[in-house]
Amino acid sequence: MAVNPEINSDEKNLALLAHLLGIFTGFVGALVIWLIASEKPFAKQQAQEALNFQITVLIAYIASGILSVIGVGFLITSAVWVVNLIFCIMGTMAVSKGQGYTYPFALRLIK
């Protein structure tokens, strides 16, 4: 994606936090940013993207918890954690450059 010169640093920082907080707070951080960024379209769009991905990660964690009954869930939990970490860092890096980031796979529940 191309760099958007119209994005101010406050909006970029909110978008950056939306992606970065997913590592530490799950969907809560992205939800808070999405709710407070109503006047900042870039930050709101990136928070929505991060929120959708974190909801997808939460669903994957729930599924892996259920599958841990048969022993496979522990491997899936580790894989989900690593994927979440990598994609959140990639999103944070893209937004820090002023580019929008779209996660490769996420349920689009928040529109």
Side-chain angles (χ1 to χ4, degrees), residues 42-105:
F42 179 73
K44 186 162 181 89
Q45 188 272 332
Q46 288 301 302
Q48 175 182 334
E49 186 69 27
L51 180 58
N52 281 325
F53 181 69
Q54 291 305 319
I55 291 171
T56 304
V57 167
L58 178 64
I59 292 169
Y61 277 137
I62 291 169
S64 68
I66 293 169
L67 289 174
S68 53
V69 171
I70 60 173
V72 180
F74 300 111
L75 296 173
I76 295 172
T77 301
S78 299
V80 169
W81 184 82
V82 169
V83 167
N84 183 35
L85 180 68
I86 290 170
F87 285 147
C88 286
I89 291 172
M90 288 173 63
T92 301
M93 291 175 61
V95 169
S96 72
K97 297 174 188 172
Q99 302 171 345
Y101 184 73
T102 303
Y103 289 93
F105 56 89

Side-chain angles (χ1 to χ4, degrees), residues 18 29-38 43-49 51 110-111:
L31 177 62
V32 169
I33 301 292
W34 184 68
L35 290 172
I36 65 171
S38 62
K44 186 162 181 89
Q45 188 272 332
Q46 288 301 302
Q48 175 182 334
E49 186 69 27
L51 180 58
I110 308 297
K111 303 220 181 226

Side-chain angles (χ1 to χ4, degrees), residues 3-26:
V3 176
N4 189 347
E6 298 175 7
I7 302 170
N8 63 23
S9 64
D10 289 340
E11 192 167 359
K12 192 188 305 184
N13 288 339
L14 278 176
L16 188 137
L17 274 175
H19 290 287
L20 188 61
L21 285 174
I23 297 170
F24 305 106
T25 65

